[in-house]
Amino acid sequence: MFLEQEDRHLSAEELYMLVKHQNPEIGLATVYRTLDILAEIGVLIKNDFGDGRTRYEFSRKDEHHHHHHLICLGCGNVSEFDDDLLESLEAVITKRNQFKVMDHDLKFYGYCRKCEEAR
Amino acid sequence: MFLEQEDRHLSAEELYMLVKHQNPEIGLATVYRTLDILAEIGVLIKNDFGDGRTRYEFSRKDEHHHHHHLICLGCGNVSEFDDDLLESLEAVITKRNQFKVMDHDLKFYGYCRKCEEAR
DNA sequence: CTTGCTGCAAAACCTTTGCAAACCT
DNA sequence: AGGTTTGCAAAGGTTTTGCAGCAAG
């Protein structure tokens, strides 16, 4: 399976449709199974943007700590955003809440330029 | 319906079980319908902690901006965490990414004291 | 020949919906 | 009566699983 085609945040169904063009007899289950494996070995990252389906993106190993997402409430498009400041926050939390932070997930919901103009 | 009983992050199913004790003939659909209404009028907040079900918590109007969550990877327990610093980040994002931020959602995954000790 | 991958269909899971019965006022 | 709310069962949407068949070593 070669899903090098896209660099975005696609759902299993969307990937299925794409892959089906190259390989019409593939099954949706195989896509899910492959995606699961790729996520497990760290090639992909699973994301939940609240639209009821899991979305996958490539994990870039040059990122020491992953980026965050800007989710447009108008068109649903997802863009990315880098920021370091949560790292220091984790230390504060660990001390203050007796909670050993392993990972974090930050999402911003709002409107992209196009959708904001259209409002 | 009186779900004053709990102050945590419960799922519809869990609330259903609780309410059923007082009122055994209630249906799960009614719980969902009521929860939807309460969320719509702002009494409850819907949360998605990645365990496949929506979890509800009371919205406290004394919070100008809502808190964030610490989710234990061991026992699944959810605790809360307050921090102001995302407010200023929103301004940066708006300028830098041409993205009008309406809301944000920050979650930390890790281990609570008990689970961390048990590891 | 044995092991692992595949596709298909069915199941699982959470949530929503249709509808008739029950409940107000 | 008229309108609303209910419970039940069925449907919905996404993801997982069982299993027989195919492929590969």
Side-chain angles (χ1 to χ4, degrees):
Chain A
M1 228 167 114
F2 31 82
L3 3 122
E4 328 301 357
Q5 23 204 324
E6 291 290 325
D7 54 343
R8 296 227 175 283
H9 306 86
L10 298 173
S11 68
E13 184 84 30
E14 287 165 346
L15 283 160
Y16 174 53
M17 291 312 182
L18 278 173
V19 177
K20 211 164 184 178
H21 281 164
Q22 326 264 161
N23 197 338
E25 70 279 2
I26 199 175
L28 178 56
T30 304
V31 175
Y32 274 108
R33 279 187 284 236
T34 309
L35 257 21
D36 267 4
I37 293 167
L38 293 177
E40 215 159 290
I41 64 178
V43 174
L44 294 180
I45 294 172
K46 286 184 169 188
N47 276 118
D48 178 359
F49 298 132
D51 64 347
R53 66 199 69 188
T54 302
R55 294 184 170 280
Y56 301 82
E57 68 179 315
F58 280 101
S59 145
R60 279 154 298 181
K61 54 282 304 167
D62 57 295
E63 288 183 317
H64 25 311
H65 52 273
H66 46 253
H67 56 262
H68 311 124
H69 291 106
L70 309 179
I71 301 149
C72 179
L73 298 168
C75 59
N77 192 53
V78 177
S79 47
E80 294 169 5
F81 168 72
D82 274 307
D83 194 278
D84 289 356
L85 111 180
L86 288 185
E87 313 303 315
S88 51
L89 233 190
E90 291 193 357
V92 175
I93 292 170
T94 297
K95 207 177 288 176
R96 198 152 87 190
N97 298 71
Q98 302 190 294
F99 189 93
K100 169 86 173 150
V101 177
M102 307 298 290
D103 196 10
H104 58 244
D105 174 20
L106 173 57
K107 290 177 286 212
F108 293 94
Y109 296 93
Y111 294 93
C112 68
R113 193 171 48 78
K114 263 192 308 203
C115 290
E116 177 65 6
E117 278 167 8
R119 294 208 308 157
Chain B
M1 228 166 115
F2 31 81
L3 5 122
E4 328 301 356
Q5 23 205 325
E6 292 290 324
D7 53 342
R8 297 229 174 281
H9 306 86
L10 298 173
S11 68
E13 185 85 29
E14 288 165 344
L15 283 161
Y16 174 52
M17 290 313 182
L18 279 173
V19 177
K20 212 164 184 180
H21 280 164
Q22 328 262 164
N23 199 337
E25 71 278 3
I26 199 175
L28 179 55
T30 305
V31 175
Y32 274 108
R33 279 187 284 237
T34 309
L35 256 21
D36 267 3
I37 292 168
L38 293 177
E40 214 160 289
I41 64 179
V43 174
L44 295 180
I45 294 173
K46 287 184 169 189
N47 276 118
D48 179 358
F49 298 130
D51 65 347
R53 64 201 68 190
T54 302
R55 294 185 170 279
Y56 301 82
E57 68 179 315
F58 280 100
S59 146
R60 279 154 297 181
K61 54 284 304 169
D62 56 295
E63 289 183 317
H64 25 311
H65 51 274
H66 45 254
H67 56 261
H68 312 124
H69 291 107
L70 309 179
I71 300 149
C72 180
L73 298 168
C75 59
N77 192 54
V78 177
S79 47
E80 294 170 4
F81 169 73
D82 274 307
D83 194 279
D84 290 356
L85 108 181
L86 288 185
E87 312 303 315
S88 51
L89 235 190
E90 291 193 358
V92 176
I93 292 170
T94 297
K95 208 176 286 173
R96 198 152 87 190
N97 299 69
Q98 301 189 296
F99 188 93
K100 168 86 172 149
V101 177
M102 307 298 289
D103 197 9
H104 58 243
D105 175 19
L106 173 57
K107 288 177 287 213
F108 292 94
Y109 295 92
Y111 294 94
C112 68
R113 193 171 48 78
K114 263 192 308 201
C115 290
E116 177 64 6
E117 279 168 8
R119 293 208 310 156

